[in-house]
Amino acid sequence: MNLTVADVRLTPVLVADPPLLNTQGVHQPYTPRLVVEVETADGVTGVGETYGDTTYLELARPFAERLRGRSVSDLNGLFTLADEVAVDAARVSARVDGGGLRGVRTADKLRLSVVSAFEVACLDALGKTLGLPVHALLGGKVRDAVDYSAYLFYRWADHPDGVPAEKDDWGAALDPAGIVTQARLLTERYGFTSYKLKGGVFPPEQEVVAVRALAAAFPGRPLRLDPNGAWSVETSVAVARELGDVLEYLEDPALGTPAMAEVAERTGVPLATNMCVTTFQEVPEAFTTGAVQVVLSDHHYWGGLRNTLQLAALCRTFGVAISMHSNTHLGISLTAMTHVAATVPGLRHACDTHYPWQTEDVLTARVPIEGGRVRVPDAPGLGVTLDPERLARLHRRWLDDDGTLRDRDDAAAMRATDPAWTTPTVPRW
């Protein structure tokens, strides 16, 4: 058994994305992702996935070169390796990430997002070699299936005229009736039993009506609202009081830990975040001030599956709940999320996933979501198989792109419809 890394392959792809709206703009017709393959000297290949924007790819390339010759079992060494790779801090300026809407972006977060893909690929290869599923390598599953929530978006029926894009059958959702119809379709197709609305698109009073409509259509079902920090403290408090009887939690209503702490102090509605707590350094302030009651982890920018377990332990220590945030991911990342979620004790809230919105994948088969749940694979490694033809097709799209779509920019996509659009200043309301 030879666990030495003999080869590493990086494949950037562009994946079809529908015109989903958020406070920063609209999703581009294609979104970048990066697929990582790590092959051992015995010919065993593990796969991972992360963001595919240019800055991630530029860091992943030298990282991949340094990984060759090391063991796939040397997972702690991945972080040391990442520290050795230079990052142009000027290019990774501290700003709100318009694509991921995940708070301030820094060079350290960039490194962790890249490490996460390599860690998952190494765990996949290690599991295949040992004949063990990834969840066993993480300590063993405590549940056989993981609950996911329907991710509702205000959206257009199609991307703007003249913009090359793939078609889907979801239709527009620009008012409460449209959101309820979308929720019903997601329920029919995937069996979801909880619902999250991406807010910050329309004035808060309109989004309150939409949540009320969901509560009427799905009585007793858990509901969430996420305006991505688009509201002031006063607006956040007002909405929390208005919807306190139906919300499971309110996600990042205001931007930053101090603002969230003030909202939490003035309302009894639990607050969740994937913006003000995205690194271990941000945990003490958020937890000691009571700013958040639910942390939405994302193994990509926390640095992988094992760091996610460390975060979960911290949350248990402070009595803070944990669930999982979603980005526009493929089946590799959804499966990795499912493995780590299966090992987290006390996972009380369904995880987020964009996956129903992605009509394309790089796997031989789509990850099934049934009854709002994903079964935890017990096959060795992640339990998924990469499809070389599908991967090559999506990579060809990336190669053919002139560079316009290789960095996600929701504001730029919005300007295809509104040339005067600029990234809104927060708070918007």
Side-chain angles (χ1 to χ4, degrees):
M1 180 170 54
N2 192 336
L3 298 176
T4 303
V5 176
D7 192 21
V8 181
R9 294 182 291 276
L10 304 178
T11 309
V13 297
L14 285 176
V15 183
D17 208 7
L20 308 178
L21 298 166
N22 57 50
T23 194
Q24 304 248 319
V26 64
H27 288 205
Q28 294 170 304
Y30 300 98
T31 194
R33 299 295 289 179
L34 175 62
V35 176
V36 174
E37 297 174 80
V38 173
E39 184 177 348
T40 71
D42 284 342
V44 177
T45 300
V47 296
E49 173 197 342
T50 191
Y51 300 97
D53 303 70
T54 303
T55 49
Y56 297 90
L57 185 57
E58 288 177 350
L59 181 59
R61 283 172 174 150
F63 191 100
E65 290 297 323
R66 287 169 170 78
L67 188 61
R68 290 181 176 89
R70 303 172 74 99
S71 173
V72 293
S73 65
D74 184 16
L75 301 174
N76 289 332
L78 295 176
F79 297 95
T80 302
L81 200 61
D83 291 339
E84 296 173 1
V85 179
V87 176
D88 184 350
R91 293 197 61 202
V92 191
S93 57
R95 61 180 176 83
V96 172
D97 180 1
L101 294 164
R102 60 190 185 100
V104 176
R105 190 169 80 169
T106 66
D108 286 339
K109 287 185 184 180
L110 174 63
R111 287 191 185 95
L112 291 173
S113 296
V114 172
V115 167
S116 69
F118 288 94
E119 187 222 44
V120 169
C122 286
L123 284 168
D124 187 28
L126 182 60
K128 289 174 179 175
T129 300
L130 299 177
L132 295 172
V134 165
H135 64 74
L137 301 179
L138 298 175
K141 63 181 180 179
V142 295
R143 58 187 60 84
D144 292 322
V146 174
D147 290 323
Y148 285 89
S149 181
Y151 208 152
L152 310 177
F153 282 86
Y154 291 105
R155 57 159 291 167
W156 299 327
D158 299 292
H159 286 281
D161 290 341
V163 175
E166 309 301 312
K167 299 289 186 180
D168 65 30
D169 64 350
W170 289 93
L174 296 169
D175 56 21
I179 291 296
V180 170
T181 296
Q182 185 184 106
R184 291 192 190 282
L185 282 172
L186 283 164
T187 302
E188 290 171 7
R189 296 178 183 184
Y190 300 98
F192 291 116
T193 58
S194 63
Y195 306 88
K196 168 178 167 175
L197 175 62
K198 176 66 74 177
V201 177
F202 296 113
E205 55 270 21
Q206 292 180 229
E207 296 180 352
V208 166
V209 174
V211 173
R212 283 289 177 194
L214 287 169
F218 303 96
R221 299 280 181 87
L223 303 177
R224 307 130 178 215
L225 177 59
D226 172 23
N228 279 122
W231 301 339
S232 68
V233 168
E234 292 302 324
T235 298
S236 300
V237 170
V239 172
R241 289 173 176 168
E242 176 69 23
L243 294 176
D245 60 324
V246 295
L247 284 182
E248 177 186 16
Y249 59 67
L250 183 59
E251 180 181 340
D252 287 307
L255 192 62
T257 296
M260 291 278 284
E262 185 175 350
V263 176
E265 186 178 8
R266 295 172 59 184
T267 176
V269 175
L271 301 185
T273 187
N274 76 283
M275 295 180 72
C276 66
V277 180
T278 58
T279 67
F280 288 107
Q281 291 80 4
E282 292 166 328
V283 165
E285 180 187 7
F287 286 10
T288 57
T289 61
V292 297
Q293 288 70 54
V294 185
V295 171
L296 302 179
S297 175
D298 184 319
H299 74 268
H300 301 87
Y301 54 79
W302 281 91
L305 308 186
R306 296 179 314 129
N307 272 8
T308 300
L309 290 179
Q310 291 184 37
L311 173 64
L314 273 177
C315 288
R316 288 196 299 276
T317 301
F318 283 88
V320 174
I322 188 168
S323 188
M324 293 188 184
H325 160 260
S326 166
N327 55 77
T328 310
H329 54 217
L330 299 171
I332 298 171
S333 283
L334 175 59
T335 305
M337 286 174 63
T338 300
H339 275 279
V340 69
T343 69
V344 174
L347 189 69
R348 302 194 304 273
H349 302 283
C351 301
D352 295 340
T353 181
H354 283 70
Y355 195 62
W357 295 113
Q358 311 315 131
T359 57
E360 299 176 323
D361 207 338
V362 294
L363 301 179
T364 55
R366 286 186 64 81
V367 178
I369 303 175
E370 299 172 344
R373 317 182 89 195
V374 175
R375 298 290 301 178
V376 183
D378 287 320
L382 288 174
V384 298
T385 304
L386 196 63
D387 186 318
E389 291 184 4
R390 291 178 176 175
L391 179 65
R393 184 168 63 251
L394 300 186
H395 180 52
R396 171 54 57 186
R397 185 184 287 153
W398 184 89
L399 291 172
D400 290 342
D401 178 62
D402 62 4
T404 304
L405 299 174
R406 292 183 182 181
D407 291 288
R408 180 175 162 182
D409 189 337
D410 293 355
M414 181 64 87
R415 284 193 287 273
T417 295
D418 180 2
W421 179 270
T422 58
T423 300
T425 300
V426 291
R428 291 183 69 180
W429 292 283

